[in-house]
Amino acid sequence: MNLRNPTPKQVGWIKGILFVLALLPFARLALFTFTDRLGANPIEFITRNTGDWTLYFLCITLAVTPVRKLSNWGWLLRLRRMFGLFAFFYVSLHFMTFFWFDHFFDLNEMWKDVVKRPFITVGFSAFVLLIPLAVTSTNKMIRRLGAKRWQWLHRLIYLIVPLGVLHFWWMKAGKNLLAQPILFTVIVAALLLFRVLFRKPRAAAAPARAKQSA
């Protein structure tokens, strides 16, 4: 297979395989639930697992553009929306675990917890900001909003991912477990820095092109 220029059928196969692989963490979680293998604290296990996979898929979503630009594999853009929706899928499971098992669908108690604990406030904010991105992740919504407005809306991802990492950092800091948060911080910082550095040459080149045309 020519990864630089695969056929639409080959891209479809790649997308299908990655879709199945992305469901494996959920399948594993369901298997552990039905076979009573969630450990001594099932709620913590589910919360930790779904939170981790949310961050994994958010980082993968952010990584699509840098990898595409470095490899010249333009077809990777066809996978970005799927990765983003899987991030929303796992964060929804993460939130439902908090709302259902921690608060038994009591909105008042949940809101008190959101306001009282900063790490939950930050995590809840990231979840809320992801909702419009998930809702508008269809071709119909892109046409309805217009490409430019759609792109501006989806730049919220650059705020959402750092909020997710901060939520994770504060949660782990209370247990003095900082190895993973530091790793996520470095990865996200590198991905965001790549975008900044990549845009600078283009921004600098624009005046130069204008002078040449004049």
Side-chain angles (χ1 to χ4, degrees):
M1 180 192 300
N2 181 4
L3 288 176
R4 179 162 291 186
N5 191 28
T7 65
K9 186 177 181 180
Q10 289 171 331
V11 174
W13 274 104
I14 293 171
K15 191 172 183 178
I17 292 169
L18 291 174
F19 183 90
V20 172
L21 291 175
L23 281 174
L24 288 181
F26 174 71
R28 175 178 176 269
L29 196 58
L31 176 64
F32 279 22
T33 300
F34 288 112
T35 55
D36 195 23
R37 294 161 61 189
L38 295 177
N41 192 336
I43 297 175
E44 183 181 356
F45 185 96
I46 296 172
T47 301
R48 185 177 68 249
N49 190 266
T50 53
D52 286 353
W53 279 102
T54 298
L55 284 177
Y56 295 152
F57 278 107
L58 285 174
C59 289
I60 292 170
T61 304
L62 273 186
V64 167
T65 294
V67 172
R68 176 180 67 85
K69 292 183 184 301
L70 291 172
S71 64
N72 203 26
W73 295 353
W75 56 271
L76 286 176
L77 282 178
R78 294 180 58 184
L79 306 177
R80 185 170 59 185
R81 189 186 309 180
M82 181 182 74
F83 292 140
L85 287 172
F86 267 110
F88 183 72
F89 171 67
Y90 283 105
V91 78
S92 297
L93 294 177
H94 187 68
F95 171 74
M96 284 305 299
T97 303
F98 167 71
F99 188 34
W100 183 0
F101 297 112
D102 279 356
H103 298 287
F104 301 101
F105 300 105
D106 189 326
L107 281 170
N108 188 46
E109 287 301 314
M110 184 201 76
W111 185 247
K112 287 180 181 177
D113 213 9
V114 169
V115 173
K116 182 180 178 180
R117 297 199 277 178
F119 86 93
I120 295 181
T121 307
V122 169
F124 183 75
S125 299
F127 171 65
V128 171
L129 290 172
L130 265 175
I131 294 174
L133 272 63
V135 171
T136 58
S137 288
T138 63
N139 292 333
K140 185 176 180 180
M141 287 303 299
I142 294 173
R143 290 193 296 269
R144 180 174 295 182
L145 289 172
K148 193 169 184 179
R149 281 186 292 178
W150 185 88
Q151 286 178 344
W152 275 105
L153 175 64
H154 280 251
R155 284 176 182 171
L156 282 173
I157 193 70
Y158 304 136
L159 173 62
I160 291 166
V161 179
L163 286 176
V165 173
L166 181 59
H167 166 73
F168 187 66
W169 187 292
W170 277 351
M171 185 182 66
K172 291 290 188 178
K175 302 175 183 178
N176 201 28
L177 299 171
L178 294 179
Q180 275 188 300
I182 290 171
L183 179 60
F184 274 119
T185 301
V186 171
I187 291 172
V188 171
L191 292 173
L192 295 178
L193 182 62
F194 178 90
R195 290 174 178 273
V196 172
L197 294 176
F198 181 77
R199 286 180 182 277
K200 276 187 176 180
R202 292 177 60 185
R209 286 196 300 267
K211 287 181 181 178
Q212 289 173 0
S213 62

